[in-house]
């Protein structure tokens, strides 16, 4: 079926959405349930409604937009991604998978396609970990991977919990643990996303089809030292929390470099110091550390190394250490049949492609636990992401949407 994709309209919507941000363009920042995020969610819901999709939201704000199929009893086929954005991000991460899904659906509607099974576009809540330190919050909850205790313990940097933010987002009522869905809710999930790495561009390929998603883990360390006047406190006997943190951050780098696996990556992405005054010895440091690998063994060994090093450094420096494993996730294996279907679509559309690993995590990591899942990657310039200069061309995006649309057609037809 020839599915018309309106790349100009899609680009206009991507540009419009990028202007709904906590920071001026070209920076995109949309932390979960911030004013900008709420406005962006309203923007997307409006597009869903214009496309005649039935919109509902669950208790944590996952948005579901359904194009009803002929067979209402058949499990729907799902697509979608996220629209929240980390601080200082660009306009394509997540957004291409949401606005691209809307364009794919509009294209299918225009082509006269009538789905047999329903097609549902999902906008997941907090794929990014910025608010609560935990990524993929919405899909984790849908997959039932979080205990009630863990949900109740979620806090943002200001100490606000999920209930506070649910109320602020108008989601009061409902139980976050009850957004869990069963394994046969969806027939499959296909997420369109920018690659966030350089491989497709380097190999001049249009499409990547994801076979595995690397295993992410993250740690939060709270280091408690003794503060004091930067002039009056002599150097011997200081218990400076920042210096312990600095040593730990170097061990994080070492743990990845010496893991024996080229795929181990480790980042100390959060390093907050209190009281944060130039003339005061830091009494407290909070570090959030992200570790990943495609192989579980090397990821877990690196994680252990960092934890052991942190304990040793804090002991030696007289610093109190509180350690929390925020998440320690397994990798995802994508569904071979879906990978095959997307490969066939690329062949038919004459688009070059490769099968590949996703080093970034996505809501697909958790959807893969409850239904057959794969992802469609498109190139992004220089492999750059999580930066304002993130870029995929309108042509690259339109190719990805064309593959998604044809895939939805085959799987829901
Ligand atoms: C997702 O944004 C990730 O950090 O991989
Ligand atoms: Mn991201
Ligand atoms: Mn993303």
């Amino acid at each position: 079926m020839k599915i018309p994709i309106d790349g100009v309209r899609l680009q206009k919507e991507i540009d419009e959405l990028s202007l709904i941000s906590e920071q001026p363009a070209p920076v995109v920042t949309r932390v979960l349930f911030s004013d900008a995020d709420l406005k962006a969610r309203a923007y997307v819901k409006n597009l869903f409604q214009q496309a005649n999709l039935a919109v509902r939201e669950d208790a944590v704000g996952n948005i579901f937009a359904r194009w009803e199929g002929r067979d209402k009893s058949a499990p729907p086929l799902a697509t979608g991604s996220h629209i929240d954005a980390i601080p200082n991000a660009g306009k394509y991460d997540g957004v291409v998978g949401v606005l691209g899904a809307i364009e794919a659906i509009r294209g299918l509607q225009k082509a006269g396609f009538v789905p047999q099974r329903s097609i549902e576009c999902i906008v997941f809540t907090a794929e990014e970990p910025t608010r609560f330190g935990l990524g993929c919050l919405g899909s984790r909850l849908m997959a039932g991977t979080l205990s009630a205790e863990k949900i109740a313990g979620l806090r943002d940097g200001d100490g606000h919990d999920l209930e506070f933010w649910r109320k602020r987002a108008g989601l009061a009522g409902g139980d976050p643990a009850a957004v869990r869905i069963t394994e046969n809710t969806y027939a499959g999930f296909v997420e369109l996303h920018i690659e966030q790495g350089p491989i497709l561009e380097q190999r001049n390929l249009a499409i990547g089809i994801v076979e595995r998603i690397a295993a992410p883990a993250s740690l939060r360390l709270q280091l408690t030292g003794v503060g004091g006047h930067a002039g009056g406190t002599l150097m011997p006997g200081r218990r400076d929390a920042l210096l312990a943190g600095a040593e730990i951050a170097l061990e994080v780098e070492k743990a990845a470099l010496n893991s024996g696996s080229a795929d181990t990556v480790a980042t100390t992405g959060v390093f907050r110091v209190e009281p944060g005054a130039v003339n005061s010895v830091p009494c407290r440091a909070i570090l959030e550390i992200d570790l990943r690998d495609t192989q579980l063994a090397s990821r877990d060994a690196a994680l252990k190394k960092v934890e052991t090093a942190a304990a040793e450094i804090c002991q030696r420096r007289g610093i109190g250490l509180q350690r929390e494993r925020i998440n320690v996730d397994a990798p995802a294996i994508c569904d071979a049949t879906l990978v095959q279907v997307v490969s066939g679509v690329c062949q038919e559309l004459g688009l070059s492609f490769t099968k590949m690993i996703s080093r970034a995590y996505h809501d697909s990591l958790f959807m893969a636990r409850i239904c057959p899942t794969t992802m469609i990657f498109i190139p992004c310039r220089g492999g750059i992401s999580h930066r304002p200069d993130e870029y995929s061309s309108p042509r690259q995006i339109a190719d990805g949407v064309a593959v998604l649309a044809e895939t939805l057609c085959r799987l829901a037809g």
Side-chain angles (χ1 to χ4, degrees), residues 73-76 117 181-188 369-372:
S73 65
R117 63 173 78 250
I181 58 171
T182 56
E183 278 189 21
N184 44 18
T185 302
Y186 290 109
R369 298 187 184 193
I370 47 177
C371 67

Side-chain angles (χ1 to χ4, degrees), residues 249-313:
L250 291 173
E251 289 298 326
V252 168
E253 184 190 34
K254 257 191 245 163
L257 288 173
N258 302 335
S259 78
S261 155
D263 289 331
T264 315
V265 286
T267 309
T268 304
V270 170
F271 197 143
R272 281 199 304 272
V273 180
E274 293 174 12
V278 67
N279 55 355
S280 183
V281 178
C283 61
R284 203 138 69 136
I286 291 132
L287 280 70
E288 287 177 11
I289 298 161
D290 178 301
L291 286 123
R292 312 180 191 204
D293 200 308
T294 51
Q295 303 301 323
L296 215 41
S298 34
R299 196 281 312 272
D300 285 346
L303 179 62
K304 198 82 216 110
K305 245 196 183 141
V306 168
E307 290 176 336
T308 307
E312 183 277 314
I313 290 161

Side-chain angles (χ1 to χ4, degrees), residues 82 86 93 127-129 196 290 292 359-362 386:
H82 63 100
I86 66 161
D93 175 6
E127 190 272 349
E128 301 291 6
Q196 304 183 289
D290 178 301
R292 312 180 191 204
R359 292 173 188 282
Y361 61 69
H362 304 279
H386 283 184

